[in-house]
Amino acid sequence: MAKDSGSAFDLFLFKRVLAHTRPYRVTFYGTALAAIALTAFSVLTPMILRSIVDDAIQQKNEELLWELSLMMLAVLIGQVVFQLVFTYYANWLGESVIRDLRKKLFARMLGFRMQYYNKSSIGLLVTRAVADMQRIGEIFSQGFFMIVADLLKMLAASVIMLVWNWRLALIVFAILPLILYATRVFQQKMKVAFTEVRAQVSNLNSFVQERLTGMKIVQLFTRESAESKQFREINEKHQNAWLKTVWYNSFFFPIADIVSSIAIGLVVWYGGLQDITNLGVDNKGIIFGFILLIEMLFRPLRQIADKFNTLQMGMVAAGRVFKILDTESRIEDAGEYDPERIDGGIAFEKVHFSYEPGEEVLHGISFTLEPGEKVAIVGATGAGKSTIINLLNRFYDIDSGTIRLDGRDIRDYKLASLRSNIAVVLQDVFLFADTIGNNITLQDFSMGKAEIEEAARAIGVHEFISSLPGGYAYNVKERGSMLSSGQRQLIAFLRAYMRNPSILVLDEATSSVDTYTEQLIQQATEKVTENRTSIIIAHRLATIKKVDKILVMEAGNIVESGSHEELLKQKGYYHKLYEAQFMAEEVL
């Protein structure tokens, strides 16, 4: 894993990124060859220039001048062609890698436990899947290959300098350690700076995402001023992190320019002195060639430092993405049992469970449901009602005990098979920013329009949907904001009914809807629970009189069990709940 330290480069992490180029070996090596070709064309330019000065101009050979000029033109055209190939395929490779990585990351996130999302910032995860991925792509399009090409140019320029005039070459090489040292320090500082930049980008994205999602709460409690102040503080930290990178750039690049100019000045002075005193330099073309070669040697150093910035940002982003990919937060899916359909018998046997170690939520509960039986679970908030539903769907694994479906441990089932036989209608219904039809089918194109309408009529919601503009094609916008809570729940009933589940779970919520919608929900409830095992988390006790069994929960224990009449006769906890709610409704 990459560490957020001043270490200039993490080789292990870089190898891990490069491993994702294996499916594109041909493109990878082709891009590398294009970089070599670019180097060859680059060094030809000063060599031709030297010949133009020494062999054509000084010898007054007009024919040779034309030939060398045409050769220079051909070299420049070749440079353009290979630069085009190099740039396109380096970018293509980067985009292909991040496409594959993004698919892998999203697939990984789809399998995480609910507990992972309870503890993670959604804004941060979005940053990892979008912005950080683009940074990884830039490792190839703007970083690695560019650095390789520049290093090759520097090597070629150094060799030609030594071959042409070792004295002038030594002058240049004597200056080189200054810029090499400055580059090294620059790289280390930028690694730390870019780590801070990515952290502040994540904080900013997370803050904005949460406040936009919860804007109603912000406005209801008049928190606009406080949130604006907090945003300014976070935004300022983000600005300061970026300014630190600008500060380092402001130092490094002028230093690089000054050192390059000094090298050119020394070469012109010493080369000219040798020529004047006849101490070894007979060809003025060498001095012209050296000026271009110094540019080839020093300019890539500047570019390498700049590209290394991009590479470092990509490496930091890769470290963050791989951290998610390496996260072990998955429900073990080792079951082999994959029935096409189950009968729906449910048994909890001495089930203990805790969301956090040492904070047990369920204390060894046991109950049994026969196939087709309807049971209601009642109790105060925090009693453990919703936890039972989470465990049945294996969003979490239990600490001890056993949960059985049709007599088999639910861990024996394939996870997809288990969940496909259970449908859940939650109190807080989530709808995607899409049409009602697509929210019902969830893009399952095996469900036709006629089939959807037939199911809607069966549970009594077709008339309501048809009354909307566009009917089933009506776009409900983000989180279904264009519909009321009761309307969203009706859509959720239809979504569950279309899947014909063996087990249906209803988080009943009719306390905040109008009388007409409540009647529609009651009608839908009776239809969707018909002839299938049903669990209803009851909020209004008056709506569960017809169920076969009622489980009464208190502080993670089942304290009472029986029918509505039986529990009232016991004069226990259920009786108190019922009386309290009945009296409250009478007052209303």
Side-chain angles (χ1 to χ4, degrees), residues 52-68:
I52 287 175
V53 173
D54 291 337
D55 301 328
I57 295 177
Q58 290 200 91
Q59 302 298 324
K60 296 183 173 26
N61 189 331
E62 185 177 349
E63 184 179 350
L64 181 60
L65 178 62
W66 274 105
E67 291 176 0
L68 291 173

Side-chain angles (χ1 to χ4, degrees), residues 159-212:
V159 171
I160 293 174
M161 284 182 184
L162 286 169
V163 170
W164 279 3
N165 189 304
W166 64 268
R167 293 184 181 86
L168 293 179
L170 288 179
I171 291 175
V172 176
F173 296 159
I175 301 294
L176 199 58
L178 294 175
I179 196 168
L180 288 175
Y181 176 75
T183 302
R184 176 66 176 174
V185 172
F186 179 69
Q187 290 167 353
Q188 292 174 331
K189 296 293 185 181
M190 291 301 283
K191 171 66 185 291
V192 177
F194 279 130
T195 298
E196 176 65 16
V197 165
R198 298 312 304 159
Q200 293 304 327
V201 167
S202 295
N203 290 340
L204 188 62
N205 286 347
S206 180
F207 181 88
V208 172
Q209 189 271 336
E210 286 184 350
R211 269 54 186 185
L212 291 178

Side-chain angles (χ1 to χ4, degrees), residues 227-238:
E227 296 297 342
S228 180
K229 179 181 178 183
Q230 191 173 351
F231 176 79
R232 285 196 299 270
E233 292 173 356
I234 294 174
N235 197 32
E236 188 172 342
K237 289 180 181 178
H238 176 264

Side-chain angles (χ1 to χ4, degrees), residues 7 82 101 227 232 240 491:
S7 175
F82 278 98
L101 260 178
E227 296 297 342
R232 285 196 299 270
N240 291 338
I491 300 300

Side-chain angles (χ1 to χ4, degrees), residues 423-483:
V424 181
V425 178
L426 296 171
Q427 179 179 356
D428 183 18
V429 176
F430 184 92
L431 297 180
F432 294 95
D434 206 335
T435 64
I436 287 180
N438 285 339
N439 269 289
I440 294 167
T441 64
L442 295 178
Q443 303 289 342
D444 183 349
F445 299 109
S446 65
M447 300 179 185
K449 183 178 180 182
E451 186 182 355
I452 297 171
E453 292 183 4
E454 182 182 350
R457 287 189 176 94
I459 66 171
V461 300
H462 175 71
E463 186 178 341
F464 141 65
I465 296 174
S466 299
S467 68
L468 296 171
Y472 290 86
Y474 181 65
N475 193 310
V476 300
K477 305 302 180 182
E478 188 173 0
R479 299 183 67 87
S481 61
M482 301 302 290
L483 301 178

